[in-house]
Amino acid sequence: MSRRLPATPRSAATVPPPGLPGLDPRFSRLVDDGEATWHVLDTGAVLAEHGVEPVGTVLCVHGNPTWSYLWRRFAEQATDAALRGGPAWRVVAVDQLEMGFSERTGERRPLARRVADLGRLTDALGLAGPVVTFGHDWGGVVSLGWAVDHPELLAGVMLLNTAIHQPEGVPIPAPLRLALAPGVLPRGTVATPAFLETTLALASPPLPTDVRNAYRAPYRGSDRRGGIGAFVADIPVGPEHESFAELERIAAGVRALDVPALFVWGPRDPIFSDRYLDDLIDRMPHADVHRFEGAGHLVAEDADYAGVALAWLDERLPDGALSEAASGASHRGAPGIDRAEDPSHVRRPLWHHLDERADSDELALAELAPPTGPAPRRISWRLLSRRVHELAAGLVAAGVRPGDRVSLLVPPGADLTAALYACLRIGAVVVVADAGLGVQGLTRAVRGAYPHHVLGAVPGLTAARALGWPGRRISTATLPAASRRLLGVDHSFGELVALGRGRELPPEPAAGALAAVLFTSGSTGPAKGVRYTHAQLEGVRDVLAAQYGIGPGTGLVAGFAPFALLGPALGARSAAPDMDVTAPATLTARAVAAAAREVDATALFLSPAAVANVLATEQALGADERAALGGIRLMLSAGAPLSPTLLEGAAGLLPNASVHTPYGMTEGLLMTDVSLETIRDAATSGEEGVCVGTPAANVQVRISALDDDGRAVGELSDRPHVTGEIVVSAPHVKSGYDRLWFTDRAAVAGTPDDERWHRTSDVGHFDAEGRLWVEGRLPHVVVTAHGVVTPVGVEQRVETVPDVRRAALAAVGPRGTQHCVVVLETVAGVSQPRLAPADLASAVRTAAGLPVAAVLVVPALPTDIRHNSKIDRTRLSRWAEDVLAGGRMTAP
């Protein structure tokens, strides 16, 4: 393939033209390195002008086909922070030679030369360290080359989307293959601005015209674009390429870098996908990572990368030197506060019941709707223990290693249970994103976690293949050869069991080792991966056992898939009812009764949506089925608020059960507990919100008061009648969010350093009796000209209107002067969204007790898939804003 490019005429370096949006002309300067002249953005002179001494330098290197303009926001924000008295980082953002407004020398510059060029420039600038490199695209490779070559100056590494290694046998990204195609390279990169324009089109949302023009400014004319073509031609597609050896050298050298590192990533990148992020994490496993969901290749334009980078510098390198937080001493996920580190604590791993009852023929698990064979399928402790052992050993023999991520795409049942415990036993990290997220949500979750292996049933493997999910494929079923090839399956369960039979298992993973990444429901934005260590999952089991007495002898029916998986860890015989896990609201009373009868149930866990449909279908129950439900002594429902009416209905259906609604979230699965009796007592208290009771064992709950702008800024307190964000602490609270460093940082902001805390984004208050009341979600707080309004109390008052089935509070207008809008489902129902009739609107306004700008009626309020009950008020607010501004009256 010919990569010949037209010769580039020499031209001198210049400063950019004035008036480019967002670019401070004071930062531009020309630097002669003795061989060529560079244009750079350098904030040093502005800092010096104000008498500010830098703590270090951030060396920013752009890629192809951008220029130092890419870093304008970082340079501006870093300077503003320094002039406000914060840590002063000098920013030096270069235009690589042949690029931007730097000199066009007309010379070839393969990767090794570009790395040497950058070293010559930093010598000319007299950079003495500490230096933090910051690179994007091929600038990431060049910056890392400089970092490897200057360990004596290096204090840290930051990267935006880039790649430093191309896996053997994997083709380079399709857009680059196209750019390198015969005949395309000179025309697409130099003769025309096609490569430049294609790159600019990757921004999301689209770049404003003036910003596009700023990026185009140094590349007006083919005589200015030779560097763009040369960069593409320098992509080392194989070992024979002249830059391959240098890329391999840099990639190997990165493994030896032990400085703090930050990777800020845009996952919607057709060039540098999460495959390359995973490779970087493998080389620098200590790196902090933040993925901006929805951002792409131009993450510097798509998201506030500068704010994240500066926050990271403040925390990891506050004075240009390694901080305590960077060295791992921070409580933010540190194992030092886990009970497993307490010498008096005797650890019981999650699989200890499987080991202790390996010779028991008692029932461990009942599968009401097995994928094959007759139903129900009854599995003893002996069989489950043996199958977990064999599958675990087979996974090891097949190449699954401790720390490998395994995405489980298996419906609830025996296969999922065996896979989960086998993975945990060998130290693999299970990635659990349930089907309730939907295809789009599952795709985001799986790609974000970037598993090494995908273990699934045929539907999951089919989706993985069709949607390009990463990971080697393992099938729960033995497939025909054609299906196996089509789905890319490497192994089946049967093969792994046979492979593992008679093999010894590896040593048990440590209590502080990462065990699982569990994804949230996505009810308030893209689902987030929540990291749990083995000790934290063991803590979840222990608090459930202590709070509710669930353990050996308990018959557990779980109508919520994640909870069903804890049955073996608790030592309980368990069953999941025959149901569609993507639609919990379809669970019937007869299905629950069948599962209860199969395991002689004494405990039942249902989601709120499932409770509603179970009660709606209870008339179909026969006498034997009611008798099976009569054996239940404990009923739990969690995940979203449950109305007193539904709770009373559940108590009627389960006459011998104590009904509880624990409060928690994926980040902390049991924080408080409340019984129906307590809810009855609280109903007369005059408090507004949903009473969720008092803290569970070893749990602390505090409130961070809201200010007049609806922000949670108050000191943590347990004072009564103070509304604010609910903040929780417990040994079993998550260790952190997965690849969301900035989000994780916000979730612990303002909390004590010696304990693990989590800001829940729920708002609420304590009453005088110490009971916690939830008033809604922090993002759903309405900030009006008259004050802050939390949604649940208003909704509860509106739902007392006879014609109202369910209500949601939305907000329209700018924050601080927002107006309240009430959106309803009515008892009679409607087929199309509409304004509420005058009499209903009047009744709603009277009940609400505050100014309401509009009352709208819809066929159904938008809710999450997992629970079918969490109302998406943010989505409703966007819809109401559009409708009231004259938009079409479509369904929200």
Side-chain angles (χ1 to χ4, degrees):
M1 172 172 60
S2 174
R3 294 191 181 181
R4 296 187 62 182
L5 294 167
T8 300
R10 296 182 63 95
S11 61
T14 64
V15 297
L20 297 183
L23 184 63
D24 190 331
R26 296 178 299 167
F27 298 158
S28 279
R29 61 178 291 202
L30 300 181
V31 180
D32 185 345
D33 69 6
E35 291 188 17
T37 303
W38 301 62
H39 167 254
V40 303
L41 303 180
D42 185 352
T43 65
V46 175
L47 296 179
E49 181 183 329
H50 289 81
V52 175
E53 183 69 25
V55 299
T57 299
V58 180
L59 179 63
C60 301
V61 188
H62 69 86
N64 189 31
T66 59
W67 56 288
S68 58
Y69 185 74
L70 182 85
W71 306 105
R72 67 195 183 281
R73 290 174 181 156
F74 182 69
E76 178 185 20
Q77 291 183 33
T79 304
D80 289 347
L83 298 185
R84 290 196 305 268
W89 286 94
R90 176 189 179 187
V91 176
V92 174
V94 308
D95 282 2
Q96 298 200 59
L97 295 176
E98 324 301 331
M99 301 290 287
F101 288 95
S102 284
E103 185 176 343
R104 302 301 193 264
T105 67
E107 298 178 14
R108 291 179 60 257
R109 297 189 181 277
L111 178 58
R113 185 169 182 185
R114 288 201 173 277
V115 173
D117 287 343
L118 187 60
R120 199 172 60 251
L121 172 67
T122 57
D123 288 345
L125 289 168
L127 295 190
V131 175
V132 176
T133 59
F134 204 172
H136 173 245
D137 189 85
W138 278 100
V141 180
V142 175
S143 70
L144 288 172
W146 187 95
V148 168
D149 292 345
H150 296 81
E152 74 284 358
L153 300 180
L154 189 68
V157 167
M158 298 192 291
L159 292 171
L160 306 181
N161 292 42
T162 190
I164 60 168
H165 177 70
Q166 183 65 32
E168 187 176 351
V170 176
I172 64 172
L176 298 183
R177 292 202 304 273
L178 175 62
L180 285 165
V184 174
L185 178 60
R187 289 198 299 270
T189 61
V190 181
T192 72
F195 189 83
L196 171 64
E197 295 300 328
T198 300
T199 302
L200 297 181
L202 295 176
S204 178
L207 296 175
T209 300
D210 59 349
V211 173
R212 281 176 176 264
N213 287 335
Y215 276 112
R216 293 165 177 152
Y219 302 118
R220 302 282 186 185
S222 60
D223 59 332
R224 300 286 299 171
R225 292 193 289 266
I228 294 177
F231 246 128
V232 174
D234 196 42
I235 296 172
V237 295
E240 70 285 352
H241 192 283
E242 66 177 318
S243 288
F244 183 84
E246 177 68 0
L247 185 63
E248 290 290 291
R249 181 188 76 85
I250 295 169
V254 166
R255 290 192 185 277
L257 297 178
D258 59 358
V259 295
L262 172 69
F263 305 151
V264 179
W265 212 260
R268 294 180 61 185
D269 188 342
I271 304 167
F272 299 125
S273 66
D274 280 313
R275 175 197 306 278
Y276 300 102
L277 172 62
D278 198 58
D279 175 72
L280 285 164
I281 293 171
D282 180 66
R283 295 170 191 278
M284 301 186 76
H286 63 281
D288 295 307
V289 180
H290 188 87
R291 295 171 74 256
F292 275 110
E293 199 64 61
H297 182 70
L298 290 179
V299 62
E301 297 294 340
D302 298 346
D304 182 20
Y305 83 98
V308 173
L310 289 171
W312 183 83
L313 288 169
D314 285 349
E315 184 163 311
R316 298 304 196 216
L317 297 162
D319 298 309
L322 186 68
S323 72
E324 184 182 36
S327 66
S330 169
H331 82 278
R332 315 311 192 192
I337 67 168
D338 288 330
R339 293 176 310 154
E341 302 297 319
D342 182 354
S344 65
H345 174 71
V346 178
R347 183 189 177 197
R348 296 183 306 145
L350 291 171
W351 51 87
H352 85 98
H353 283 294
L354 292 171
D355 291 344
E356 292 176 0
R357 304 173 75 174
D359 297 324
S360 172
D361 291 318
E362 294 181 352
L363 180 67
L365 180 67
E367 197 166 15
L368 276 295
T372 60
R377 180 184 178 193
R378 296 173 63 84
I379 298 162
S380 68
W381 286 99
R382 182 194 301 273
L383 176 57
L384 183 59
S385 176
R386 185 176 75 241
R387 187 52 48 87
V388 168
H389 183 111
E390 292 169 342
L391 186 55
L395 287 167
V396 173
V400 180
R401 298 289 180 256
D404 278 6
R405 294 187 171 203
V406 182
S407 178
L408 301 180
L409 302 177
V410 186
D415 287 342
L416 177 58
T417 301
L420 173 75
Y421 285 90
C423 289
L424 291 174
R425 174 58 185 83
I426 64 174
V429 179
V430 295
V431 177
V432 181
D434 67 72
L437 292 175
V439 172
Q440 185 178 12
L442 266 176
T443 298
R444 279 197 301 258
V446 174
R447 286 181 176 169
Y450 209 84
H452 303 88
H453 313 273
V454 175
L455 196 160
V458 170
L461 294 177
T462 302
R465 180 73 171 185
L467 298 169
W469 296 347
R472 296 171 58 213
R473 310 289 198 263
I474 301 171
S475 171
T476 56
T478 300
L479 302 175
S483 298
R484 183 171 179 142
R485 286 193 301 272
L486 181 64
L487 296 176
V489 170
D490 294 312
H491 300 282
S492 69
F493 260 32
E495 292 166 352
L496 292 177
V497 167
L499 193 60
R501 193 166 290 135
R503 292 177 182 263
E504 292 296 317
L505 292 178
E508 294 182 349
L514 184 63
V517 177
L518 310 178
F519 276 84
T520 62
S521 68
S523 59
T524 54
K528 297 185 287 291
V530 178
R531 296 196 307 268
Y532 274 91
T533 65
H534 283 267
Q536 288 155 1
L537 288 181
E538 292 158 14
V540 172
R541 173 204 60 199
D542 293 345
V543 74
L544 284 168
Q547 190 75 29
Y548 301 116
I550 302 174
T554 300
L556 172 65
V557 173
F560 181 49
F563 197 85
L565 294 172
L566 285 171
L570 290 159
R573 59 186 182 275
S574 57
D578 184 3
M579 63 180 293
D580 180 355
V581 296
T582 68
T586 62
L587 179 63
T588 66
R590 296 198 68 191
V592 173
R597 184 169 50 219
E598 204 59 41
V599 296
D600 190 17
T602 56
L604 171 65
F605 187 101
L606 297 176
S607 72
V611 172
N613 201 58
V614 166
L615 294 177
T617 58
E618 70 170 300
Q619 295 304 316
L621 291 170
D624 290 347
E625 291 166 321
R626 288 189 181 274
L629 296 178
I632 294 174
R633 298 293 183 267
L634 171 70
M635 186 268 193
L636 304 174
S637 183
L642 201 65
S643 72
T645 301
L646 287 180
L647 289 172
E648 295 290 354
L653 178 63
L654 309 169
N656 299 312
S658 175
V659 178
H660 290 251
T661 61
Y663 165 70
M665 61 288 304
T666 309
E667 297 88 345
L669 295 177
L670 175 59
M671 295 291 102
T672 71
D673 175 68
V674 64
S675 66
L676 176 56
E677 291 75 17
T678 299
I679 291 172
R680 287 169 178 158
D681 291 341
T684 61
S685 67
E687 303 285 342
E688 289 194 334
V690 176
C691 180
V692 296
T694 54
N698 298 317
V699 175
Q700 299 180 71
V701 180
R702 298 291 185 269
I703 299 294
S704 174
L706 302 182
D707 64 10
D708 292 340
D709 193 42
R711 298 173 303 162
V713 297
E715 295 292 324
L716 301 188
S717 167
D718 58 1
R719 289 183 291 119
H721 301 119
V722 174
T723 293
E725 184 178 13
I726 300 168
V727 189
V728 296
S729 175
H732 60 279
V733 165
K734 65 167 175 60
S735 64
Y737 288 117
D738 190 51
R739 302 182 179 183
L740 289 170
W741 177 82
F742 194 63
T743 304
D744 204 35
R745 182 177 184 264
V748 296
T751 62
D753 287 340
D754 57 348
E755 295 171 309
R756 181 181 290 109
W757 288 84
H758 171 65
R759 288 185 171 270
T760 67
S761 287
D762 288 331
V763 290
H765 69 276
F766 287 109
D767 64 17
E769 305 300 320
R771 297 172 299 207
L772 181 65
W773 294 74
V774 177
E775 300 179 52
R777 296 283 294 166
L778 189 60
H780 301 160
V781 166
V782 183
V783 185
T784 73
H786 308 290
V788 173
V789 179
T790 55
V792 172
V794 178
E795 293 165 355
Q796 289 173 328
R797 294 195 295 271
V798 169
E799 287 170 355
T800 64
V801 175
D803 292 337
V804 174
R805 178 178 176 270
R806 193 160 58 154
L809 183 68
V812 298
R815 191 177 184 88
T817 59
Q818 288 177 321
H819 295 277
C820 294
V821 173
V822 175
V823 186
L824 309 174
E825 292 176 7
T826 59
V827 174
V830 296
S831 59
Q832 296 292 330
R834 63 191 63 177
L835 288 170
D839 56 343
L840 178 58
S842 177
V844 165
R845 287 186 167 93
T846 299
L850 48 71
V852 174
V855 181
L856 302 169
V857 181
V858 296
L861 293 168
T863 60
D864 67 300
I865 297 174
R866 178 184 289 180
H867 303 287
N868 286 170
S869 54
K870 291 184 178 179
I871 297 171
D872 190 343
R873 299 185 185 93
T874 302
R875 177 175 164 186
L876 269 183
S877 294
R878 290 196 300 265
W879 172 79
E881 185 105 42
D882 182 65
V883 165
L884 296 176
R888 292 181 59 197
M889 188 76 81
T890 57

